[in-house]
Structure formats: C-alpha cells, structure tokens
Amino acid sequence: MITKEQVLQALSNVEEPDLGKDLVTLNMVKDIEIDGNKVTFTVVLTTPACPLKDMIRNACVNAIQLMVSKDAAVQVNMTANVNSNRKDGKSTLPKVKNIIVVASGKGGVGKSTVAANLALALSEGGASVGLMDADIYGPSVPIMFGVRGERPMMVNVEGKGMIVPLEKYGIKLMSIGLLVDEKQAVVWRGPMASSALRQFITDVYWDELDYLVIDMPPGTGDIHLTLVQTVPVTGAVIVTTPQDVALADAKKGIMMFSGPQVNVPIIGLVENMSYFTPAELPDNKYYIFGKEGGKRLAEDMEIPFLGQVPLVQGIREGGDEGVPVMVSNDEITKKAFIDFAGNAARSIAMRNANMAPTKIVEVAV
Ligand SMILES: Nc1ncnc2c1ncn2[C@@H]1O[C@H](COP(=O)(O)OP(=O)(O)OP(=O)(O)O)[C@@H](O)[C@H]1O
Ligand SMILES: [Mg+2]
C-alpha cells in the first residue's frame, strides 16, 4: 500500500532549482491521489511558461519510483499560480501581479516588437496578460495589433469612470494612441507628457493580470522616471541589438533602472536582430550587427541573458500588418520568443521569491 505520507516524503527530496527549496516546503504539491500502484498529484509552478517543467516532472517520477515503489505508475499534472511579490494591495493596479517594463536606451532596437511578442508568448503559456504602450510620442501597439482607430469603452469602477482595455489575440491592450489624436501627442512636452502618462496608467481598468508588459519609449528620460514613480515595477527587460552603439545605450538603460535612485530589478537582457538566416539556407547564420554583443554585455553586467531573436522579414511584416509573429505559423521564430519568454518568466519568479517587495520609486528629481 502506497501512502500519501510516503509520496510527500519522496517529493520533499525534489528541489525547485530556481527557488533552491524542495517542492513540499514550497507548498507546490497538491491533490495527491493513490489508487493501488497509481499515484497522481499536481505540481503548482510559479509560472506557466516555466522552462523547467519537464525536468521537474521527471524528478518527481524518479523520486517516487526510487523511494516509494519501483512499480508506481506516476502521473504528474502541472498547473501554475503566477507568483507576485506585491505587498501594497491598496496602491496602483492592485490586481496586477507583475508589472514588467520593456526598455532599451537606443531607439528602434525592437522594444515594441519584443514587448508584444513577450506578452503573447506568456499568454500562450496560460497566463493572463496585458500590454500597455507607454510610448506617448510614437505609439506602436495600435499598428502592431491592427486596432488603429478603435476606441476603448468606459466602465464605472467604484464610482470612477475607467477605460477598458481592448482585447486581441487573447491579451488586453491599451495605448495612448487609442485615446488621443495621433497628431496631438507629439506636441506634448516634458511635464505634459508625464502627467498624461500618469493619468493614462491610473485610469485604465486592467483588473486581474498575471503580467502587465509595458512597452517603453526609447531613452532614459522623464517618462521612465514618471512610470517608476506611478506604478510599482516588478522588473525591467532590456532589449538590445548586438551592435556597439546599441550596447552602449542598453548599458545606460541598465544603469538607470538598477542605480540607487530608481532601483528597479533587471529581469534580464534579450538580444534582438541577433543574426539573419535565409530561408533557402536554413543552417546558415549571418551576424549582420555583430555576434553575441548582448550576451557579453549581460555577462559583464551580471544580469540574466534571456535569449536571442533572429532578424526575420516576417517579424517586420507582421508588425506592420497587425499580426505579430507569435500568432503566425512561423514555428522557428515563435520558438525564439517562447524560449525568451520562458527565461523571462523564470527570472521574474526568482525575483519574486528572493527580493524585497515591489514598491513605487520615490526619486528626488
Ligand atoms: N527581429 C526582427 N526582425 C525583423 N524586423 C524587426 C525585428 N525586430 C524589430 N523589427 C522591426 O524593426 C522596426 C523597429 O522595431 P520596433 O518598433 O519594435 O523598435 P522599438 O525599439 O520599439 O522602436 P522605438 O524606439 O521607435 O520605440 C519595426 O519595423 C520592426 O518590425
Ligand atoms: Mg517602440
């Protein structure tokens, strides 16, 4: 007779590698059922995009067959409850578990493309996801998602009129480009742009989300400071191309977020436009902007390297046509984004387990 105690005892030897503790201590094992030699239970991961899923499943099966019964037929169900480390239930966007900014330093390196496909990849993994376009001067979300000209609805939340995000491809979307005339925003100057952004953030009704991905404008300016002072940012994903000029600006971005003034954790760095592979020569990689510059920068700055995204015509076309590559059938390119999103989700989960609660930044400017 196999007992639940034996199963738990065996699983207390299985470590969640990122969190450095065993599954039982972390309270990740649920719903154990035993029927003869059939053992079924659920492991609740900290993110549905967890790249270690298969490894953890195999470790569970091995532990039970080794320590309980070699004839046990083990079925491990995997679910996820995305972790969060917000302790500020009353502050801005209280029901959003993780607020992730996508930033670079240099313009045009692919922040908006990466932010959109990151949001879609996290959602494909089973998480509830929103994408906010914080680029006041050059919003991209309306075009990338083919929702230009659509106007969001309003809803009354506890006596306050709030903006309801649009929904497309399974994620919630909002861009200042959907609220104001496209020509109007470009004439805003510093303080006006900052107050527009602040109002925009607090007036959108995101409701419950596992991840809110924020697409930032280029640079390291006022808008960035306004954002970190308005919402408690969980962490920043930095985008760069392998080129020296982009790397120098990415470094500035990393220093701004991780510096003592702002102190937002860096989730990691993703290298975009890493190489080009022609369709007729699928084994060739051409390093047009230099090789692995992003990877080296991540090593130098001691931040996680989250992956490489190739230069692909379909990424550009998809962006222009309102069909991001994550909803296309280009499986090779999708895999690059899924791997990147998995690494990002993993880094976020570790950040939540190991670091101080997220809070709004108070900066003296
Ligand atoms: N990996 C890629 N392969 C091909 N084209 C890409 C790739 N990444 C981005 N692009 C294209 O490059 C252009 C710039 O990308 P994107 O708008 O995402 O950059 P950005 O960093 O958000 O720019 P900005 O600083 O203006 O906000 C877009 O036309 C986009 O479709
Ligand atoms: Mg952009």
Side-chain angles (χ1 to χ4, degrees), residues 68-81:
V68 181
S69 157
K70 67 175 173 26
D71 303 321
V74 185
Q75 189 189 330
V76 190
N77 301 317
M78 297 288 205
T79 65
N81 180 13

Side-chain angles (χ1 to χ4, degrees), residues 107-113 135 218 272-273 309-312 315-316:
V109 294
K111 286 175 296 300
S112 301
T113 304
D135 195 338
N272 188 27
M273 312 194 196
V309 175
L311 185 71
V312 178
I315 294 183
R316 203 270 305 148

Side-chain angles (χ1 to χ4, degrees), residues 104-115 135 138 140 144 215-219 239 271-275 309-320 333 337:
S104 62
K106 192 175 183 305
V109 294
K111 286 175 296 300
S112 301
T113 304
V114 164
D135 195 338
S140 326
M144 283 192 308
D215 177 16
M216 295 298 286
V239 185
E271 191 186 88
N272 188 27
M273 312 194 196
S274 297
Y275 53 84
V309 175
L311 185 71
V312 178
Q313 191 168 337
I315 294 183
R316 203 270 305 148
E317 287 170 351
D320 287 350
T333 309
F337 278 112

Side-chain angles (χ1 to χ4, degrees), residues 93 162-165 174 179 199-206:
L93 310 182
M162 295 190 80
I163 305 159
V164 185
M174 187 41 65
L179 300 178
Q199 191 180 1
F200 171 60
I201 294 167
T202 48
D203 287 357
V204 178
Y205 185 60
W206 292 102

Side-chain angles (χ1 to χ4, degrees), residues 99-302:
I99 300 173
I100 307 301
V101 299
V102 176
S104 62
K106 192 175 183 305
V109 294
K111 286 175 296 300
S112 301
T113 304
V114 164
N117 288 293
L118 169 64
L120 291 164
L122 289 171
S123 161
E124 194 181 273
S128 57
V129 184
L131 174 64
M132 181 178 117
D133 184 353
D135 195 338
I136 305 254
Y137 300 110
S140 326
V141 162
I143 296 175
M144 283 192 308
F145 283 81
V147 294
R148 226 172 144 192
E150 285 186 31
R151 286 283 175 259
M153 316 247 281
M154 297 291 289
V155 65
N156 191 312
V157 182
E158 291 161 15
K160 187 175 178 235
M162 295 190 80
I163 305 159
V164 185
L166 300 182
E167 290 203 36
K168 187 110 190 224
Y169 307 129
I171 67 174
K172 294 183 185 175
L173 297 176
M174 187 41 65
S175 167
I176 207 139
L178 297 168
L179 300 178
V180 298
D181 182 24
E182 283 178 26
K183 289 187 210 83
Q184 189 188 330
V186 272
V187 301
W188 283 338
R189 286 291 162 256
M192 237 178 134
S194 290
S195 72
L197 178 67
R198 199 172 304 124
Q199 191 180 1
F200 171 60
I201 294 167
T202 48
D203 287 357
V204 178
Y205 185 60
W206 292 102
D207 207 11
E208 289 182 9
L209 289 181
D210 290 325
Y211 304 98
L212 175 63
V213 178
I214 305 185
D215 177 16
M216 295 298 286
T220 47
D222 282 355
I223 293 285
H224 297 75
L225 288 178
T226 301
L227 188 99
V228 297
Q229 292 173 87
T230 310
V231 289
V233 175
T234 309
V237 169
I238 307 293
V239 185
T240 187
T241 62
Q243 225 176 339
D244 286 343
V245 280
L247 294 169
D249 285 356
K251 196 166 170 178
K252 278 186 214 152
I254 295 166
M255 311 255 272
M256 181 198 68
F257 283 109
S258 61
Q261 258 207 330
V262 172
N263 202 13
V264 164
I266 304 291
I267 300 304
L269 183 114
V270 57
E271 191 186 88
N272 188 27
M273 312 194 196
S274 297
Y275 53 84
F276 172 71
T277 299
E280 62 279 13
L281 294 169
D283 295 326
N284 290 25
K285 289 183 178 175
Y286 298 95
Y287 296 90
I288 295 172
F289 295 115
K291 194 174 175 186
E292 296 187 340
K295 201 171 174 187
R296 279 195 305 277
L297 179 63
E299 279 162 17
D300 287 352
M301 306 286 291
E302 296 179 347

